[in-house]
Amino acid sequence: MRVLILPDARAGGRAVADIVARVVQEAGSAGERPVLGLATGSSPLPAYRELIRRHRTEGLSFAGVEAYLLDEYVGLPAAHPQAYRQVIRRELTDALDIDPSAVHGPDGTHPDPATAAAEYERALTKAGPVAVQLLGIGTNGHIGFNEPGSSLRSPTRVTTLTERTRSDNARFFRSLAAVPRRVITQGLETICRAEHLVLIAAGAAKADAVAAAVEGPLTASCPASVLQWHPRATVVLDEPAAAGLRHGEHYRYAAALDLG
Ligand code: GLP
């Protein structure tokens, strides 16, 4: 696992944008259609702003890209501003030259969410592997919407949010009562099929979850710890999010040598 501790979230955004841009450019010059795994939430926003900037000012093109979202609320109308397919359009893809029909997410409006989850798993298997999967982390260590207790081998499925996640996400809704209880999420095994996992975290509220994910045991109690098991995982942190790490000095030293 590569751990990058950067001075602030903007620097983190640039580091993540470098990873994504390289994949997009290399696939583009090989005539391939790269598959990107996108995350919602506030953590990836600096990276998205930087990618939009590079698209506008440096000609970075997303024309052939296929994008797959991690997760979706069950039961929100498709046009709801917090439906993740709306969020990703607003925060990223509407500002890029990506074909809107190439942006995919689980169908949270399907009358049978379990069927929608199984269809999404099949679609991902067919389109994959995802070249880079971006991830945020919940304060309880969740990735996607895989809450503590999620099987490390879970597929895309319907699951139930913890009350902690509902209250963390209530800031995006009118009230806590408006936050859905059920979601469809890529499973931990689904996520781990991506070639490169890139987890982004900023702020002191994430420090405990980051420490558990990076240096704690590999356990379903901290779903993000599954990154320890992945052959290619990068964790991009700002200083406050890295504050709970025991081996922070070594990560800084190793990253400085990589860059040198
Ligand atoms: C939500 C999303 C996750 C995200 C997490 C953290 O629950 N489903 O994918 O990583 O929140 O969100 P934020 O980045 O806003 O802290």
Side-chain angles (χ1 to χ4, degrees):
M1 188 185 302
R2 199 162 155 244
V3 181
L4 299 178
I5 304 170
L6 297 167
D8 54 39
R10 268 188 82 192
R14 284 195 295 273
V16 174
D18 284 347
I19 294 170
V20 173
R22 195 170 316 125
V23 163
V24 169
Q25 284 163 333
E26 282 176 6
S29 38
E32 289 161 5
R33 289 176 75 85
V35 183
L36 295 182
L38 300 178
T40 47
S42 37
S43 306
L45 293 180
Y48 292 165
R49 280 187 213 112
E50 176 64 12
L51 289 169
I52 292 168
R53 192 193 66 75
R54 292 185 194 191
H55 169 64
R56 288 191 177 142
T57 65
E58 296 172 12
L60 178 65
S61 175
F62 292 78
V65 168
E66 293 282 328
Y68 283 82
L69 279 174
L70 273 175
D71 47 14
E72 184 58 275
Y73 293 109
V74 167
L76 292 185
H80 191 288
Q82 290 310 321
Y84 281 165
R85 270 201 268 188
Q86 292 295 336
V87 173
I88 203 68
R89 287 182 54 179
R90 196 165 62 236
E91 302 292 359
L92 180 66
T93 58
D94 278 355
L96 304 176
D97 57 343
I98 186 170
D99 178 352
S101 69
V103 182
H104 311 273
D107 181 1
T109 68
H110 197 291
D112 178 11
T115 299
E119 283 171 359
Y120 196 62
E121 179 78 16
R122 270 198 299 279
L124 266 166
T125 306
K126 200 162 162 222
V130 168
V132 183
Q133 176 64 60
L134 303 184
L135 298 164
I137 183 169
T139 54
N140 63 2
H142 78 220
I143 52 174
F145 270 137
N146 292 281
E147 298 283 34
S150 296
S151 162
L152 297 174
R153 297 197 51 202
S154 45
T156 302
R157 68 202 185 287
V158 182
T159 186
T160 304
L161 293 182
T162 60
E163 282 304 292
R164 180 164 179 189
T165 297
R166 289 187 68 244
S167 66
D168 283 350
N169 289 0
R171 67 190 192 280
F172 297 115
F173 291 82
R174 259 178 300 113
S175 64
L176 177 60
V179 184
R181 292 187 157 73
R182 306 284 280 169
V183 290
I184 298 173
T185 184
Q186 286 191 35
L188 295 175
E189 182 158 287
T190 319
I191 291 169
C192 284
R193 284 203 300 266
E195 291 172 335
H196 188 178
L197 302 183
V198 177
L199 185 140
I200 312 155
K206 299 292 174 71
D208 289 349
V210 165
V214 174
E215 296 180 341
L218 171 55
T219 166
S221 295
C222 177
S225 67
V226 78
L227 266 77
Q228 296 178 30
W229 196 60
H230 192 280
R232 192 160 181 223
T234 302
V235 179
V236 180
L237 306 172
D238 69 356
E239 295 283 350
L245 294 172
R246 272 177 295 138
H247 306 300
E249 278 321 305
H250 175 69
Y251 306 138
R252 286 178 223 274
Y253 168 73
L257 284 185
D258 279 355
L259 294 175

